[in-house]
Amino acid sequence: MDSSSDSGTSSSTTSPNRDIASAPAPTVDVLVVGAGPTGLLLAGDLAAQGLSVTVVERRRHEAGNVTRAFAVHARTLELLDTRGLAEELIKTGTTLTSLRLFGRLGLDLSRLRTRFPFLLITPQYEVERLLERRARTAGADLRYGAELTDLDQAASTDTVTTGIREADGTQSTLTARYVVGTDGVRSSVRQALGLPFPGESVIRSIVLADVRLTEEPAALLTVNGVGDAFAFIAPFGDGWYRVMGWDRTHQAADSDPVELGELREIARRAFGTDYGMHDARWISRFHSDERQVPAYRTGRVFLAGDAAHVHSPAGGQGMNTGLQDAANLSWKLAAVLRGHTAAPEALLDSYHAERHPVGAKVLRASGAIVRLAMAHSPLQRTVRALATRALSAVRPASDRAIGMISGIGIGYAAPHGAHRLTGKRAPDLGLVEGRLHQLLGEGAFVLVTPTGVPTPASPAPVVHAHWTGDRTTALLVRPDGYVAWAGDRTDPAALTAALAR
């Protein structure tokens, strides 16, 4: 896929149906379009830094049974931990310490070196509920039932002008210093920018329903594929279950009618039973795409989450990847808007440079899982058997797979000659001042040094913490939990240069 980046700030983008009024418009620091998990985390982070944030969401404020994702991975729980939300979220779901794929491949999540060595199964709306509460408490303005109708960024201004259709149907104008589109696969922001969304459909005619079951499955997550049938069952925790089924021999259009009997039959073929599913509160047919936008930044407008990348649900990485996008972008926008960086363009460009390769990697990983699950010919099944046997037998390969799926193993490229820790995720270190992830909750960099090292001058907020033992390494950890700089010995000049950079 095209990995080129449009990072200039002198672009001009206007949607085809321009109807922005000429009257002066209110101005905010950041307009976030889309109030899913990605947009809500971003808005909460920015508002917590004292910035003015408006979120517009075309959906009405929905009841709590609407959800897409169920899996919250370890790296996401670490991000939520820094924001004081992880423990509360864990109480809403159930944890899994192992994943089983293709019937024979077991991935032991308990080997993860984190406070959260498991997969949390909880509906997406629980994640949204906590993130929305945090964003509102921090002062973000959330407008449900409002949608973006227009977007214009001119070369001569340092703002983006947008048209908003409010919930009551009236049209308003809002200007923002930056706009972030977190509005999903059909992103109006991406369309207004005129950006392509290249890719393809991976699976067609997936049947999805929320149902009651007469017989409770033995496993928390029930997944299996037999012959031409594949099915998945996950609990909401309140007696309802999300069931997904796919039949290779019946590839219908999304608009074709679907009944519960079709899903029951797929489940019986995949599991040997349909668990007595009944009383579907809704049922639909959809397809799964693999797509990624070529540029995550266009001038003062950014894309994150499903607006930037979309892939199969295999591995449960969609929501988690979007939340990582938001955590990467939020501290960079805050640093620029608060004047804490001497090179704002370089810092904002690094969002695309860091997150686009991660999005591409997730597309490849989830695509590999789904293609192995769909293996049909004898050759494909042999390849799947060999791959699963190798992952089961070779621990380093298994650990890499676990690190990728959980997000714990994902890092960013380091400059040439940098310390081996630069760009790596920082674990939740126990320090004299407390846990690292608690200290990161202040939204600042955390500098970790031996005791006795004076705090250097810094253009940006820095929390200075100290090792509990006799380590001589110095670490500068970014607000999103990745190592910005490291040194085997504490060199005051190198520290000062790192903080300035």
Side-chain angles (χ1 to χ4, degrees), residues 110-388:
S110 67
R111 298 208 305 259
L112 289 169
R113 301 180 68 178
T114 172
R115 291 185 69 235
F116 309 103
F118 49 77
L119 173 68
L120 175 66
I121 304 301
T122 192
Q124 176 178 315
Y125 59 71
E126 294 288 1
V127 180
E128 292 183 357
R129 177 179 62 84
L130 297 182
L131 291 174
E132 179 184 340
R133 185 187 68 196
R134 174 175 177 261
R136 289 189 186 277
T137 301
D141 174 23
L142 273 60
R143 304 182 186 177
Y144 286 91
E147 63 178 309
L148 180 84
T149 59
D150 208 352
L151 182 152
D152 178 49
Q153 54 176 337
S156 59
T157 67
D158 58 1
T159 59
V160 182
T161 306
T162 64
I164 308 294
R165 182 179 296 113
E166 303 290 350
D168 61 3
T170 61
Q171 186 78 21
S172 65
T173 303
L174 181 69
T175 63
R177 296 177 67 184
Y178 294 96
V179 173
V180 184
T182 62
D183 49 342
V185 64
R186 296 180 180 84
S187 170
S188 58
V189 175
R190 190 186 64 245
Q191 293 173 18
L193 292 171
L195 291 175
F197 204 33
E200 61 180 356
S201 293
V202 186
I203 314 177
R204 299 183 182 278
S205 195
I206 303 170
V207 181
L208 199 66
D210 287 352
V211 302
R212 299 280 192 184
L213 299 181
T214 302
E215 178 186 350
E216 183 177 346
L220 182 63
L221 284 184
T222 307
V223 186
N224 199 33
V226 175
D228 293 318
F230 174 85
F232 165 91
I233 300 177
F236 280 90
D238 60 358
W240 289 95
Y241 290 81
R242 169 64 53 83
V243 183
M244 181 176 72
W246 178 73
D247 181 355
R248 187 192 308 274
T249 64
H250 183 62
Q251 299 292 290
D254 290 356
S255 57
D256 284 3
V258 58
E259 296 182 354
L260 186 58
E262 180 179 344
L263 188 56
R264 284 196 187 111
E265 176 58 26
I266 296 172
R268 281 193 289 267
R269 288 161 56 194
F271 301 132
T273 176
D274 64 8
Y275 295 100
M277 67 177 70
H278 61 279
D279 291 341
R281 61 185 174 189
W282 70 274
I283 185 168
S284 67
R285 194 189 306 275
F286 76 103
H287 67 277
S288 177
D289 286 354
E290 285 180 355
R291 300 184 183 278
Q292 186 178 31
V293 72
Y296 282 18
R297 180 188 183 193
T298 302
R300 290 181 169 268
V301 183
F302 301 83
L303 295 170
D306 285 355
H309 48 78
V310 65
H311 48 83
S312 82
Q317 294 175 279
M319 177 182 69
N320 293 273
T321 305
L323 290 170
Q324 302 294 329
D325 290 345
N328 182 288
L329 180 59
S330 65
W331 74 265
K332 296 174 181 179
L333 282 174
V336 170
L337 287 165
R338 298 182 70 184
H340 292 152
T341 175
E345 295 313 310
L347 183 60
L348 294 178
D349 283 349
S350 73
Y351 168 65
H352 170 93
E354 292 182 342
R355 293 305 300 171
H356 192 277
V358 172
K361 188 180 295 185
V362 171
L363 258 71
R364 290 194 298 270
S366 63
I369 294 172
V370 77
R371 284 169 176 79
L372 287 174
M374 294 166 60
H376 182 59
S377 70
L379 176 60
Q380 291 172 332
R381 291 179 182 275
T382 299
V383 170
R384 182 173 72 184
L386 292 173
T388 55

Side-chain angles (χ1 to χ4, degrees), residues 76-124:
T76 299
L77 287 169
E78 289 184 343
L79 286 181
L80 296 176
D81 186 34
T82 66
R83 291 155 177 82
L85 302 175
E87 297 299 334
E88 186 175 354
L89 182 65
I90 290 170
K91 294 177 182 177
T92 69
T94 308
T95 59
L96 277 177
T97 56
S98 65
L99 290 175
R100 182 158 295 278
L101 302 174
F102 317 127
R104 65 181 70 185
L105 173 60
L107 298 177
D108 185 2
L109 301 178
S110 67
R111 298 208 305 259
L112 289 169
R113 301 180 68 178
T114 172
R115 291 185 69 235
F116 309 103
F118 49 77
L119 173 68
L120 175 66
I121 304 301
T122 192
Q124 176 178 315

Side-chain angles (χ1 to χ4, degrees), residues 411-415 417-425 475 482-487:
Y412 301 126
H419 191 277
R420 66 187 182 280
L421 294 178
T422 303
K424 301 291 194 299
R425 157 196 161 267
L475 297 177
Y482 291 87
V483 178
W485 173 88

